[in-house]
Amino acid sequence: MTIAVFPGTFDPITLGHVDIAVRARKLFDEVIIGVAHNSSKSPLLDAAARLDIASAVVAPIDGVRVEIVDGLLAQFCEERGVDVIVKGLRGGADYDAELPMALMNRSLTGIESIFIVGDSSLSHVASSLVRDVARHGGDISGYVPDGVVPVVAQALLPL
């Protein structure tokens, strides 16, 4: 059985993320969506909310599940017997950002990273842009799976 992990912050999960997860599942027996903390980002949604919404979104996809990556991705992969790390690419900037991480993960664990090119119709969809559109009152429903809009709207309410 080949296990892949598709890591990211998923803040929020987008249609682009779902596209990559579905296509990764066609290649691997099991796909774990790894909801991670990125120290260089300040997420809108806490890890529990990102886990819950991603889990609900991928529930109908056989062989795809969601877990929190609490710490180093390389350690997470070793603990779960992961064979490959999957990363989605929208363009050259994504490749430039992902290549050093892929090399570091291979150096730490020997686990290879596989890049899956995203659907061109979704190449402009990024969680950061979705958050920005939502913060300014724009409609994000065309960029995120069902159920994500109310979670994002709730997170944007003033405390």
Side-chain angles (χ1 to χ4, degrees):
M1 177 191 252
T2 305
I3 303 171
V5 66
F6 173 27
T9 52
F10 304 101
D11 184 41
I13 192 166
T14 68
L15 295 175
H17 293 132
V18 175
D19 169 59
I20 297 299
V22 167
R23 292 194 290 124
R25 176 58 183 90
K26 291 178 183 176
L27 300 171
F28 305 106
D29 297 315
E30 182 179 357
V31 175
I32 303 169
I33 292 181
V35 175
H37 171 72
N38 184 329
S39 58
S40 67
K41 296 179 180 181
S42 297
L44 173 65
L45 304 171
D46 65 26
R50 291 181 278 137
L51 173 76
D52 289 347
I53 195 68
S55 295
V57 165
V58 302
I61 308 169
D62 183 51
V64 178
R65 62 187 166 93
V66 185
E67 289 188 37
I68 295 284
V69 176
D70 190 24
L72 200 58
L73 178 63
Q75 183 178 2
F76 177 90
C77 291
E78 286 183 327
E79 289 169 355
R80 284 155 184 81
V82 169
D83 300 291
V84 64
I85 298 167
V86 170
K87 299 298 286 218
L89 298 180
R90 292 169 299 203
D94 284 349
Y95 177 79
D96 290 341
E98 296 296 343
L99 180 61
M101 289 186 279
L103 294 171
M104 180 59 75
N105 285 322
R106 185 174 67 199
S107 173
L108 291 170
T109 63
I111 298 172
E112 294 291 345
S113 292
I114 303 295
F115 299 120
I116 297 178
V117 177
D119 186 312
S120 62
S121 71
L122 300 169
S123 65
H124 63 292
V125 178
S127 291
S128 59
L129 293 174
V130 167
R131 288 191 309 272
D132 195 42
V133 168
R135 280 188 179 111
H136 290 91
D139 179 10
I140 62 169
S141 62
Y143 311 112
V144 296
D146 290 342
V148 174
V149 172
V151 175
V152 170
Q154 180 66 35
L156 290 171
L157 289 176
L159 296 174

